[in-house]
Amino acid sequence: MINPGMMMKLMNAKNTLESNHPKFAAFVSRFFMGGAITEGTIIEITITRPGEEPVSTNLKVQKSDLDLVEELKNLR
């Protein structure tokens, strides 16, 4: 069981992230929370730091990843 104080911290952090990065929050909601990501989907991430070359990686979504997302959704 999650501590109510920790839950409030997480919710505040989520709200701050959504406020600071509304397009990213909408993307995450659409694909992760909306069920558009299925097992076998490949997610690619690129990070570009100032003055450096981009670094990319990817992952193939597994059932355990989807299970984690469902658990996180249940925390609401």
Side-chain angles (χ1 to χ4, degrees):
M1 181 163 253
I2 289 188
N3 174 322
M6 180 59 72
M7 179 62 91
M8 289 300 294
K9 278 184 167 181
L10 287 171
M11 292 305 291
N12 286 337
K14 175 188 164 285
N15 291 339
T16 299
L17 182 95
E18 288 176 345
S19 176
N20 290 341
H21 310 285
K23 289 181 182 179
F24 181 76
F27 175 84
V28 170
S29 291
R30 178 178 175 200
F31 287 101
F32 284 95
M33 303 305 188
I37 300 291
T38 58
E39 191 171 351
T41 298
I42 296 175
I43 299 172
E44 185 170 273
I45 300 170
T46 300
I47 296 176
T48 306
R49 293 172 31 167
E52 295 184 15
E53 291 294 316
V55 177
S56 296
T57 191
N58 63 54
L59 64 91
K60 188 174 193 178
V61 175
Q62 300 177 14
K63 182 179 180 328
S64 60
D65 303 321
L66 298 173
D67 293 344
L68 172 61
V69 170
E70 283 303 311
E71 287 296 320
L72 293 173
K73 285 166 50 174
N74 291 333
L75 291 177
R76 291 183 184 183

